[in-house]
Amino acid sequence: MLVLDASGTLVDLNPPARPMMTDRRDSGTARDMVPSWLADAHLRLTDETCVTPEGPPAAGEIGDRFFEAYPSPADGGVAWWLVDGTGRRRAEASLRRARRQAEVRAMVFSTLLSSLNVPRCAEVAARLAAEHLADAALIVLPPVGRRCTVTHALRGEPVVPTSLQLDPRGVPGLVEALQGFPPVPARWIDPAALPEWAVPAGFGGPVGSALVTSLPGHGVSAGALILLRSSPEGTFTQDEEAFARLFAARAGAALSAAHLYSEQSAITTTLMRDLLPPTLESIHGVEYAGRYRAASDHERIGGDFYDVHPGCDASRETFVVLGDVAGKGLEAAVLTGKIRNTLHALLPLASDHEQVLTLLNGALLSSHHTRFATLVLASVRREARQVRLRLTSAGHMPPLIVRADGRVEEAATHGTLVGALPSLTVQSAEEVLAPGETCLLYTDGITEARGGPLGDELFGEDRLRQALVECAGMPGEAIVERVQMLAAQWLRSGGHDDMATLAISAPRTAPPVGAHPSAGGHPGRTD
C-alpha cells in the first residue's frame, strides 16, 4: 500500500511495499518515487468529488512487475492498494499468443492445401511465413542437379520465385535442413555471414536475426524454410522457433502432397497418352472417323477402343480394329492397352484375321487378367472409286453398312469372343463400299444405352438402324457424331457403358488422274 497526500507526494507505505520502492529512492524526492502512471491516476482522483470513481483501476509497471491500483480514503490523502497482476497478465498474453498461433495454423493449413501445384504452394508458404513469422521468408526446394528453386517473400511485397545455382553450405543449417535433419538454434546463425542470394532484394537494412528449419515431407525433406528479421532486438524466442517448426511441418506436408500429385499426374498423363483413341482422318484414299465416350464423365479412357494401322503404301491393306473389353474404368483400360499392343505386334499377320485372333486369344488366356473382349477386325483397301472391306467379328456386333440409297445392311460375319475359351471360330465377310457409302463399327454401349421416356428402355439396334437410314450420304464424321448424339440424348442423365463408334467411308470424289488404282490420300496420324 502507498499513501499519497493531496499533492501526490509519497507520505507512507506498508512493509510489503518497501522492497518495491527501495529501487526507486534514487529517483529524487518522495514525489519522484511515485510511478508516473500512479501519479496521473492520483491527480485525476483528487480532482473528483468521489474517492472511488467508477471505471477500470489504474494499472502500470513498477520495475519488472505489473500492478493494478485501487484507491481508498486515508488521513490527509489517498491510500493506494497495489495488486500484483504480473502472473495473470503473462498468462493472458500467453493465451492470446496461443490463440493467434492456433488461428494462424488453421488458416495456414487450409490455405496451403488449397493448391496441388508445387510452385504455387511454395509461393503461398513463403508469403504466409513473411506475414506471420518474420520480415522476410525464403522457401528453398530440394536441388535438381546443381540448381535450386528459391521463392523469396517480403512482407507486403509480391512473391518472387527464382531458379539459382547455389551452394547451400553458405547458410548455416541449410544443408542439414534440406536433408531433413532438425534445425539449428537461431542464435547459432550469424546474420552478417548470409550469402547475397539468401537476402531478398528490397530487404530493409542488414539482417538482425535468421532462422533455418526443414520442411518435413512424406519420408523425405520437401525443402527448407529461411526466416529473416531486420531488427537485432527481434531475435527469435524459443516459443517463436517452436511455432516456426510447426509452420514448417504444415508447409512441408502441403509441398510434399503437391509434389506427389504432380508426379502421379505426369505418370498418368504419360500412360494415358497411349491409351487414348487415335485421331482419325483420310488414309490412302479412304476416310476414317471415330468418336469415344467413357462410361464416367470424369474419365477419358475405359474398356472400348479402336485403332487404324495404315499399310506401308496405298496398295497394301489398312488394318482396322474396334473392341470392347468386359467391364469399364481403369482396370478395363489396362487390358485394352495390352490388347492394342499385342495387335500392333501382330501387324505382319494382319491379312489373316483368324490367325491374329487365335494368337491374341492365347495371349489373353496366358495372362493374369480374367476379363474377355469382343472385337471387329477390318482390312481396308481402295480400288478405283470403291473401297473393299474384309470384316471379321469375334463375339462382337456385326458392322452395319450404310448404302447410298438409304439401305442399312448387316455384314455377314460372326465368331466367338476372345480371352474366354481355349479355341475360337470366326467367319469373315467381304463387303464393297461405293462412293458415299459407309461401314459403321460400334460397341454395345450404343445399343445398350438405357433411357427413353421412362429411363428403362434400351436404345437398341432398331433405333440405330433407323438413325443410319437418315444418315445416308453423310460423311463418316457426321455419322459417328450423329450416332453418339442420339445415344447421349436417349440416356439423358442416366449411367451408361463406354461408347465407341468408327466409320469407314468411300469418298465421293474420284482418285487423282494417273494415280495408282489403289492410291488415295496421305496417311494420317493414328498412333
Side-chain angles (χ1 to χ4, degrees):
M1 178 193 68
L2 304 179
V3 179
L4 307 183
D5 63 13
S7 65
T9 301
L10 178 64
V11 295
D12 195 9
L13 69 167
N14 63 356
R18 288 193 181 97
M20 178 178 62
M21 303 305 294
T22 300
D23 296 336
R24 301 183 60 86
R25 288 179 178 175
D26 296 336
S27 301
T29 66
R31 184 185 183 92
D32 295 331
M33 292 174 60
V34 179
S36 59
W37 60 270
L38 184 57
D40 293 340
H42 183 77
L43 179 61
R44 290 193 301 271
L45 181 64
T46 54
D47 288 342
E48 301 289 341
T49 58
C50 180
V51 177
T52 58
E54 296 181 356
E61 294 181 351
I62 300 178
D64 60 350
R65 311 294 294 179
F66 179 83
F67 293 91
E68 292 179 349
Y70 298 88
S72 63
D75 292 339
V78 177
W80 288 93
W81 297 90
L82 303 184
V83 178
D84 191 342
T86 305
R88 185 186 67 186
R89 192 184 189 196
R90 289 175 180 173
E92 290 174 348
S94 178
L95 180 59
R96 286 194 298 271
R97 285 196 303 270
R99 287 176 175 173
R100 177 181 173 276
Q101 290 179 357
E103 292 172 357
V104 172
R105 284 199 302 269
M107 181 271 296
V108 164
F109 194 58
S110 61
T111 305
L112 287 173
L113 290 182
S114 64
S115 174
L116 288 175
N117 177 275
V118 175
R120 173 60 181 160
C121 192
E123 291 178 14
V124 172
R127 176 176 57 81
L128 292 175
E131 289 179 0
H132 300 285
L133 301 178
D135 299 320
L138 289 80
I139 298 291
V140 183
L141 298 183
V144 178
R146 300 182 63 182
R147 302 187 71 85
C148 286
T149 297
V150 181
T151 304
H152 301 79
L154 282 171
R155 183 179 299 171
E157 299 293 333
V159 180
V160 180
T162 56
S163 178
L164 303 174
Q165 184 171 335
L166 54 86
D167 183 3
R169 293 174 295 182
V171 178
L174 181 56
V175 174
E176 293 78 6
L178 290 173
Q179 294 176 352
F181 290 103
V184 299
R187 63 180 181 275
W188 291 7
I189 301 176
D190 181 8
L194 293 176
E196 183 178 353
W197 65 264
V199 182
F203 187 80
V207 179
S209 181
L211 175 66
V212 179
T213 184
S214 176
L215 297 173
H218 298 129
V220 295
S221 174
L225 171 66
I226 302 177
L227 300 176
L228 305 176
R229 287 182 175 174
S230 57
S231 173
E233 291 78 18
T235 303
F236 292 93
T237 65
Q238 189 173 4
D239 288 344
E240 289 174 332
E241 290 191 30
F243 182 57
R245 289 194 296 271
L246 183 58
F247 174 92
R250 297 292 179 91
L255 280 168
S256 182
H259 183 70
L260 182 61
Y261 175 82
S262 298
E263 283 187 346
Q264 292 178 339
S265 179
I267 292 172
T268 300
T269 300
T270 301
L271 295 176
M272 189 178 293
R273 190 179 298 120
D274 288 336
L275 295 176
L276 291 173
T279 301
L280 303 181
E281 52 191 38
S282 179
I283 301 173
H284 299 326
V286 180
E287 295 177 353
Y288 298 90
R291 285 288 184 275
Y292 174 75
R293 181 181 179 184
S296 299
D297 293 336
H298 64 276
E299 294 178 344
R300 300 177 62 194
I301 56 176
D304 290 5
F305 68 96
Y306 55 78
D307 272 315
V308 177
H309 303 280
C312 57
D313 56 49
S315 64
R316 301 296 183 89
E317 292 179 329
T318 294
F319 183 62
V320 179
V321 58
L322 178 139
D324 182 359
V325 172
K328 52 191 175 183
L330 183 58
E331 291 186 6
V334 171
L335 184 55
T336 292
K338 179 173 182 177
I339 292 175
R340 293 174 69 182
N341 290 335
T342 303
L343 290 173
H344 193 278
L346 295 175
L347 284 179
L349 306 175
S351 59
D352 189 340
H353 290 183
E354 184 173 358
Q355 185 177 9
V356 168
L357 292 172
T358 299
L359 293 173
L360 176 62
N361 186 63
L364 294 182
L365 290 175
S366 63
S367 72
H368 66 279
H369 294 284
T370 58
R371 299 174 183 267
F372 57 86
T374 64
L375 296 136
V376 175
L377 306 184
S379 293
V380 185
R381 181 169 57 192
R382 180 166 178 170
E383 296 181 350
R385 297 194 61 189
Q386 296 179 330
V387 173
R388 185 170 296 277
L389 304 174
R390 185 157 37 85
L391 302 167
T392 304
S393 171
H396 204 87
M397 292 82 65
L400 298 177
I401 312 297
V402 184
R403 298 299 182 185
D405 58 5
R407 291 179 295 117
V408 177
E409 301 174 354
E410 182 180 285
T413 175
H414 57 82
T416 54
L417 49 80
V418 179
L421 302 174
S423 61
L424 52 83
T425 58
V426 295
Q427 178 177 326
S428 300
E430 297 280 348
E431 297 288 348
V432 176
L433 301 180
E437 296 181 343
T438 296
C439 175
L440 180 70
L441 284 61
Y442 61 96
T443 60
D444 59 7
I446 299 293
T447 54
E448 295 181 2
R450 188 176 295 276
L454 300 179
D456 60 350
E457 189 176 356
L458 299 180
F459 186 71
E461 292 188 8
D462 291 340
R463 287 188 179 85
L464 176 60
R465 286 172 178 266
Q466 182 58 41
L468 293 179
V469 168
E470 300 170 359
C471 293
M474 294 173 59
E477 182 75 21
I479 292 176
V480 296
E481 185 173 344
R482 174 69 174 167
V483 170
Q484 290 275 10
M485 182 189 69
L486 291 175
Q489 290 176 345
W490 185 259
L491 285 167
R492 298 181 184 269
S493 59
H496 60 89
D497 198 357
D498 301 322
M499 295 188 291
T501 51
L502 189 151
I504 306 170
S505 303
R508 291 180 176 276
T509 58
V513 178
H516 188 279
S518 299
H522 296 287
R525 183 175 68 84
T526 61
D527 290 320

